């Protein structure tokens, strides 16, 4: 990089042009045709394993109340009762926005769903959930799927929302990143010189360049950063900011967000409602922030696994298997609970402890890549290798 | 060729050079001496004292109708413990030992994201981790598992044997959390091949071990009335019920080959490379096996690994190590310890608060997120404003010596201000790595 450090101003420009050229002309992206439409996909990962039977209670199952004990809420219509989802299932009352979307036929609830793994380890399961494969890979399924989508000039197709870059979006395709500012920012000129120093580093160079790109883009779309705010990393606000970035005509098309804290081994009835409320407000903020683009949006909410059907010794739940996922958005043919219900009574439970999984999480994601992002079959297979047992779920998207 | 060994020793195995302090003339001997002779351990409140403070806070709150009447007693405890943590590392004379403390704290993660654990973490480091730093892994495992911070963090304090008298009376039961994480994270790892049945049985073994949080002795206690009766079967072995069984199982797990393997991979990843060289892993594994898990022998052996001295620097410094290295490179006085604590928080690695029980990531990909790197510029630029009096060339040379690249020197010398020059030094790829 020495030769680009000759006169400060000219070199900086030259350096940036060179950088942009390297990043924009990747070999893989040119191999695919431009996809139809203007679809947006948001993936929300709930880390720690949401208790699906708590968020979406199977009150119509005769064994439900007995097995769940203190974790069973009153049926719909009763005081503090569930929000009805069509007679057999009820949504936790802390999720009125999601229920409103369901009532407007813009939300699907998928129950008794699980990934293609049976580990009860959070960390293995999150890795496999995000890898989309049978073993941990160094890239995530959403990143591999993005290889099939052409990058607009100004912004990356994919956007990691928050301080980190989840495995889901790690991989060969460059993605953007956004988090609200927390510190005073140095002059742009200094940032350019730091970028020049880091450019030769194979790991730091590209990541730093992407950080600059993301901030430049964010400044254009959201305006200059305001005063630091302790609360800005909270999920609803982050979701609102992400939605506005996604709504921009030249903005990213795919975003990943994460929300942690779902590992409720104790006192679940006190710990989950605020989290469910935060998730629900975030989903509402996505719709508000996306504006007209909501009609072209699908949001997939997933967690690594479900939890034990019976409460444990502390009115919490331990690591389980089958759980719940949500698909919502203006592009979604919603208003239904999609479940091949295994039943909780008799021998219905997996290993006499977990909700038995009867549908594949990978099939849900594949369905969205194929029918919503309209990716070619080869791209879907690259995202989810060796996933023949999990065919793409049909009928989730309008049209 | 200038000898890079002194810098490599201080950067790879330590916390980076501190400005105006001499580098070790014999790096290997310097590291070896830190293993054999320990500086006086830090002082601070015992876990019982922290639990008593918490108990008094709760009493005050309840007496005041549910709202705290003033600042909680645990707040200054946490603040002082965190300050002491940063001060010790800013001025460490035995930085290798501090790195080992941080490694094992991350291996046996307890997190301040859990409010009931937060105020005990300083005591946990002093009581469960430091005493065994160069002792037996099995002893550290037992001390960590039975410490109130761990029992609270992973819910063992409320796990009840379903067939115990307490379980029968209260209709309460098992909580698997601690049992699973001990098997998965602290000992065997999933490669060890345990089953759900082993997890459940181990959870039964652990029942009875709890924390007296609201009464004497304000410490770990064994409550026989909550201990699950009957024999338990784990990994093909049988244990009788009783107070001794949990420690017996832990000591059994500590000596399993899968545990040695798991620890060897993590140590090699931490001190050598993200992709641990198989030869290094085998040697650490062999040392653990041949010495019955002597962590002192392992600590003495790590600096003898040829791979650990290979240039260039390959590991990305996580925010903790990078922030400490910046503060040391500027010779920030210990009174400014808050700057380091605040820096770690704003860069996504708040002290003692990893999001999940598997601790902070230990590879570059976990810390090379675009926005995270941008924030390093923000933070370095902020802290560099305090370095106006420094000679930037001296700072860069002291921090990196022969590892400093010509490109960095050029950029630093062309910078328009001391502040910018320092920021550029700290953001150079060679300073970002260790």
């Amino acid at each position: 990089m020495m030769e680009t450090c000759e006169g400060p101003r000219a070199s900086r420009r030259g350096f940036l042009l060179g950088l942009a050229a390297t990043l924009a002309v990747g070999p893989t992206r040119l191999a695919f045709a431009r996809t139809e439409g203007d679809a947006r996909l948001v993936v929300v990962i709930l880390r720690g394993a949401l208790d699906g039977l708590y968020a979406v209670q199977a009150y119509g199952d005769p064994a439900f109340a007995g097995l769940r004990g203190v974790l069973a809420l009153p049926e719909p219509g009763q005081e503090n009762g569930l929000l009805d989802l069509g007679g057999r299932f009820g949504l936790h009352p802390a999720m009125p926005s999601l229920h409103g979307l369901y009532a407007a036929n813009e939300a699907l609830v998928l129950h008794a769903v699980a990934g293609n793994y049976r580990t009860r380890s959070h960390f293995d399961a999150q890795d496999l959930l995000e890898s989309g494969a049978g073993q941990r890979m160094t890239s995530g399924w959403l990143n591999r799927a993005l290889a099939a989508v052409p990058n607009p000039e100004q912004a990356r197709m994919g956007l990691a929302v928050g301080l980190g870059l989840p495995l889901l979006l790690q991989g060969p395709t460059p993605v953007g990143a956004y988090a609200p500012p927390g510190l005073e920012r140095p002059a742009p000129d200094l940032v350019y010189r730091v970028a020049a120093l880091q450019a030769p580093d194979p790991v730091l160079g590209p990541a730093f360049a992407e950080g600059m790109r993301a901030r430049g883009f964010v400044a254009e779309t959201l305006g200059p950063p305001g005063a630091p705010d302790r609360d800005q990393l909270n999920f609803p606000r982050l979701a609102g900011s992400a939605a506005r970035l996604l709504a921009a005509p030249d903005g990213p098309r795919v975003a990943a967000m994460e929300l942690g804290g779902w590992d409720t081994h104790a006192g679940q009835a006190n710990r989950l409602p605020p989290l469910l409320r935060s998730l629900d407000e975030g989903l509402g903020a996505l719709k508000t922030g996306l504006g007209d683009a909501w009609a072209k949006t699908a949001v997939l909410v997933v967690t690594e696994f479900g939890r034990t059907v019976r409460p444990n010794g502390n009115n919490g739940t331990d690591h389980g298997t089958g759980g719940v996922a949500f698909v919502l958005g203006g592009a979604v043919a919603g208003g239904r609970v999609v479940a091949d219900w295994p039943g909780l009574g008799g021998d219905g439970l997996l290993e006499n402890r977990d909700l038995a999984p009867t549908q594949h999480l990978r099939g849900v994601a594949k369905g969205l890549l194929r029918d919503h992002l309209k990716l070619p079959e080869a791209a879907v297979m690259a995202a989810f290798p060796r996933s023949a047992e999990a065919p793409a779920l049909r009928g989730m998207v309008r049209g | 060729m200038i000898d890079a060994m002194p810098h490599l020793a201080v950067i790879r195995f330590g916390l980076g050079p501190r400005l105006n302090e001499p580098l070790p003339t014999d790096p290997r001997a310097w590291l070896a001496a830190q293993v054999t002779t320990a500086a006086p351990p830090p002082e601070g409140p015992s876990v019982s004292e922290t639990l008593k403070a918490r108990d008094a806070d709760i009493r005050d709150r309840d007496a005041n109708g549910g709202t705290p009447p003033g600042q909680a007693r645990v707040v200054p405890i946490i603040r002082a413990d965190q300050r002491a943590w940063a001060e010790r590392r800013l001025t460490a004379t035995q930085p290798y030992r501090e790195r080992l403390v941080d490694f094992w704290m991350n291996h046996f993660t307890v997190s301040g994201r859990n409010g009931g654990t937060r105020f005990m973490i300083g005591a946990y480091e002093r009581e469960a981790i430091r005493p065994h730093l160069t002792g037996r892994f099995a002893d550290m495992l037992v001390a960590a598992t039975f410490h109130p911070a761990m029992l609270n963090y992973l819910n063992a304090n409320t796990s009840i044997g379903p067939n115990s008298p307490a379980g029968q009376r209260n209709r309460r039961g098992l909580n698997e959390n601690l049992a699973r994480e001990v098997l998965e994270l602290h000992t065997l790892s999933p490669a060890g091949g345990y089953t759900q049945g082993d997890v459940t049985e181990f959870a039964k073994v652990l029942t009875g071990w709890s924390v007296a949080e609201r009464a004497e002795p304000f410490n770990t206690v064994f409550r026989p009335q909550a201990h699950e009766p009957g024999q338990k079967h784990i990994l093909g072995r049988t244990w009788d019920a009783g107070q001794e069984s949990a420690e017996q199982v832990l000591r059994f797990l500590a000596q399993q080959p899968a545990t040695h393997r798991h620890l060897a991979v993590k140590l090699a990843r931490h001190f050598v490379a993200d992709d641990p060289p198989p030869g290094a892993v085998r040697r650490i594994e062999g040392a653990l096996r041949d010495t019955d898990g002597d962590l002192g022998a392992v600590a003495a052996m790590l600096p003898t690994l040829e791979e650990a001295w290979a240039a260039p620097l390959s590991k990305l410094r996580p925010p903790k190590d990078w922030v400490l290295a910046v503060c040391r490179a500027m010779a920030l006085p210990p009174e400014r310890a808050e700057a380091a604590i605040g820096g770690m928080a704003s860069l996504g690695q708040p002290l003692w608060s990893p999001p999940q029980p598997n601790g902070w990531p230990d590879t570059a990909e976990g810390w090379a997120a675009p926005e995270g790197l941008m924030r390093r510029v923000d933070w370095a630029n902020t802290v560099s404003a305090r370095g106006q009096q420094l000679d930037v060339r001296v700072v860069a040379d002291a921090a990196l010596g022969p590892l400093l690249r010509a490109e960095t020197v050029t950029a630093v010398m062309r910078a328009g201000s001391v502040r910018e020059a320092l920021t550029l030094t700290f953001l150079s790829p060679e300073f970002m790595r260790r």
Side-chain angles (χ1 to χ4, degrees):
Chain A
M1 290 311 298
M2 281 304 286
E3 66 280 359
T4 63
C5 292
E6 290 307 314
R9 289 194 171 277
S11 71
R12 196 172 76 230
R13 182 173 298 272
F15 162 73
L16 280 176
L17 287 173
L19 186 72
T22 340
L23 292 175
V25 189
T28 46
R29 285 186 302 280
L30 296 177
F32 298 94
R34 188 170 189 85
T35 52
E36 292 173 44
D38 211 4
R40 267 76 158 180
L41 176 65
V42 181
V43 181
V44 181
I45 302 173
L46 308 179
R47 292 194 194 281
L50 161 68
D51 183 4
L53 275 178
Y54 189 70
V56 180
Q57 308 209 349
Y59 71 88
D61 188 309
F64 180 81
L67 283 168
R68 294 291 283 179
V70 293
L71 298 179
L73 290 181
E75 294 192 3
Q78 300 180 23
E79 192 179 346
N80 299 322
L82 297 163
L83 308 172
D84 199 25
L85 296 174
R88 293 171 61 201
F89 297 93
L91 188 64
H92 194 283
M95 305 197 76
S97 301
L98 182 59
H99 191 251
L101 294 172
Y102 184 93
N105 297 327
E106 289 187 342
L108 282 173
V109 175
L110 301 117
H111 220 321
V113 64
N116 55 311
Y117 41 79
R118 290 296 172 266
T119 174
R120 293 188 181 94
S121 154
H122 290 300
F123 318 111
D124 285 346
Q126 288 173 26
D127 280 352
L128 297 176
L129 172 73
E130 295 174 71
S131 293
Q135 68 285 325
R136 190 189 198 279
M137 299 173 72
T138 53
S139 60
W141 62 262
L142 195 53
N143 186 285
R144 294 195 299 277
L146 284 174
V149 183
N151 269 7
E153 304 249 322
Q154 290 304 313
R156 295 302 143 89
M157 279 303 297
L159 182 73
V161 182
L163 268 185
L165 180 61
L167 176 61
L168 182 68
L169 270 178
Q170 289 175 22
T173 310
V175 297
Y178 167 72
L183 289 164
E184 177 202 353
R185 287 186 175 176
D189 183 73
L190 179 61
V191 179
Y192 290 132
R193 278 179 282 154
V194 170
L197 268 184
Q198 297 204 345
D201 188 292
V203 175
L204 299 175
F208 196 84
E210 186 46 52
M212 288 175 65
R213 176 183 282 271
R215 281 195 175 178
F217 172 74
V218 166
E220 283 167 28
T221 309
L222 297 181
D229 182 338
R230 292 176 62 79
D231 206 26
Q232 29 195 345
L233 277 174
N234 87 27
F235 185 76
R237 293 190 56 173
L238 213 48
S241 298
R244 282 182 288 150
L245 292 169
L246 285 163
D250 56 352
R253 289 295 170 264
V254 171
M257 309 184 61
E258 41 195 351
L259 181 58
W262 303 92
D263 193 19
T264 48
H265 284 278
Q268 178 169 304
N270 292 324
R271 287 179 55 193
L272 270 189
L275 274 174
L276 290 170
R277 197 166 293 117
S278 178
L279 172 63
D280 188 69
E281 288 172 11
L283 298 176
L286 279 175
K287 174 171 176 154
T288 308
L290 274 155
D292 292 344
W294 177 251
K296 300 168 182 170
T297 298
V299 181
L300 171 63
V301 183
V302 291
T303 191
E304 65 259 35
F305 44 65
R307 307 186 69 88
T308 48
V309 173
R310 297 180 191 87
N312 67 10
N314 305 142
N315 294 335
T317 46
D318 290 322
H319 303 183
T321 308
V324 76
F326 303 108
V327 175
L328 49 135
V332 172
R336 294 172 289 144
V337 177
V338 181
D340 176 7
W341 192 244
L344 301 175
D347 296 330
L349 300 187
L350 179 72
E351 297 176 25
N352 188 31
R353 56 178 271 149
D354 300 345
L355 179 61
T358 52
Q359 58 184 337
H360 297 283
L361 208 43
R362 290 205 293 180
V364 177
K366 284 168 73 176
L368 290 173
L369 293 185
R370 190 191 63 187
D371 298 340
H372 181 59
L373 290 188
K374 306 219 184 319
L375 297 190
E377 193 60 28
V380 177
M381 293 309 293
F384 293 100
R386 286 187 285 284
S387 61
E389 92 288 352
L393 184 64
R394 295 178 182 283
M396 287 184 289
V397 177
R398 290 182 205 280
Chain B
M1 187 69 192
I2 307 163
D3 180 15
M5 283 270 289
H7 274 94
L8 282 174
V10 178
I11 292 170
R12 275 259 160 97
F13 292 100
L15 297 163
R18 185 169 169 88
L19 186 64
N20 302 328
E21 285 187 8
L23 290 171
T25 47
D26 183 344
R28 289 184 195 271
W30 177 72
L31 292 167
Q34 295 184 47
V35 177
T36 51
T37 313
E43 293 174 359
S46 68
V47 72
S48 298
E49 287 167 330
T50 70
L51 281 165
K52 278 180 193 160
R54 168 75 158 188
D55 177 59
D57 284 342
I58 295 172
R59 285 174 201 277
D60 286 355
R61 189 190 67 196
D62 292 348
N64 195 44
T67 50
Q71 189 192 54
R73 290 173 181 79
V74 295
V75 170
I77 290 177
I78 297 167
R79 203 168 283 156
D81 276 351
Q82 295 207 340
R83 272 200 70 97
W85 181 96
E87 285 175 11
R88 191 173 175 91
R89 282 154 184 78
L90 287 183
T91 56
T93 53
Q94 296 192 321
Y96 181 34
R97 286 190 83 89
E98 303 306 317
R99 285 279 306 281
L100 288 166
V101 168
D102 294 346
F103 172 85
W104 290 112
M105 282 291 283
N106 202 47
H107 181 76
F108 290 109
T109 287
V110 296
S111 177
R113 298 198 185 205
N114 185 340
T117 312
R118 190 176 301 141
F119 53 89
M120 291 190 267
I121 301 181
Y124 173 77
E125 184 189 291
R126 290 188 291 272
E127 295 167 3
I129 301 299
R130 283 189 184 271
H132 307 289
L133 201 62
T134 52
R136 301 268 164 207
F137 173 73
D139 293 336
M140 189 189 284
L141 172 65
V142 169
T145 308
F146 289 142
H147 195 275
M150 183 68 82
L151 293 172
N152 177 287
Y153 176 53
L154 292 178
N155 309 110
N157 57 333
T158 50
S159 182
I160 309 280
N163 297 306
S164 68
Q168 293 289 302
R169 195 168 54 244
N170 299 331
R171 295 184 58 239
R172 294 168 70 191
L174 286 182
N175 189 314
E176 292 176 358
N177 206 8
L178 177 62
R180 182 182 304 280
E181 305 305 17
V182 167
L183 290 168
E184 178 181 341
L185 302 174
H186 304 160
T187 61
L188 301 175
S189 88
Y194 56 86
T195 64
Q196 173 61 43
D198 293 323
V199 173
T200 308
E201 289 287 287
F202 186 29
K204 292 177 186 169
V205 169
L206 288 169
T207 52
W209 287 100
S210 182
V211 184
E213 296 185 347
R214 304 298 313 279
E216 293 290 348
F218 293 99
N219 210 325
T220 298
V221 289
F222 182 75
R223 305 187 199 277
Q225 70 276 17
H227 185 63
E228 177 71 1
Q231 290 184 326
K232 289 93 179 176
H233 308 280
I234 301 169
L235 297 167
R237 299 242 184 159
T238 302
W239 275 274
D240 289 326
Q243 177 169 358
E244 311 75 28
S245 56
E247 181 170 337
Q248 288 165 359
V249 175
L250 288 169
R251 292 191 181 279
F252 167 75
L253 293 171
Q255 63 187 18
Q256 294 305 303
T259 298
H260 292 158
R261 177 92 190 161
H262 178 52
L263 298 177
V265 169
K266 285 188 74 171
L267 282 161
R269 178 175 297 132
H270 186 74
F271 285 104
V272 181
D274 286 3
D275 284 325
V281 173
R282 270 196 303 276
R283 286 192 58 199
I284 302 169
E285 193 180 357
L288 284 164
R289 183 188 59 233
D290 297 342
T291 64
D292 193 20
D294 181 345
L295 299 182
V298 172
M301 186 269 239
L302 289 171
T304 69
L305 294 168
E306 276 310 309
E307 297 92 329
W309 298 92
L313 301 170
S314 71
K315 293 282 295 183
L316 181 64
R317 276 173 162 159
K320 173 195 72 109
D321 288 335
W322 182 76
V323 162
L324 291 172
V326 169
C327 293
R328 288 171 61 90
M330 292 177 67
L332 220 63
E335 302 79 61
R336 302 244 8 253
E338 304 284 353
I341 297 164
M344 287 165 59
S346 63
L347 298 177
Q349 193 178 18
L351 177 58
W352 292 336
S353 303
Q356 302 191 107
N358 57 344
W360 298 111
D362 201 7
T363 57
E365 66 192 19
W367 295 113
E371 178 61 18
L373 295 179
M374 296 300 289
R375 288 195 180 196
R376 293 198 192 202
V377 189
D378 300 348
W379 183 79
N381 186 54
T382 305
V383 75
S384 291
R386 306 274 192 136
Q388 299 296 345
Q389 78 290 1
L390 298 172
D391 179 331
V392 291
R393 188 60 203 257
V394 171
V395 170
D397 274 338
L400 293 160
L403 304 171
L404 190 62
R405 295 179 316 142
E407 294 88 332
T408 304
V409 175
T410 306
V412 166
M413 296 320 285
R414 283 189 181 159
S417 67
V418 172
R419 181 182 188 181
E420 290 189 358
L422 291 172
T423 303
L424 287 163
T425 304
F426 302 144
L427 267 297
S428 67
E430 58 268 39
F431 193 96
M432 304 268 284
R433 294 183 175 276
R434 64 167 173 80

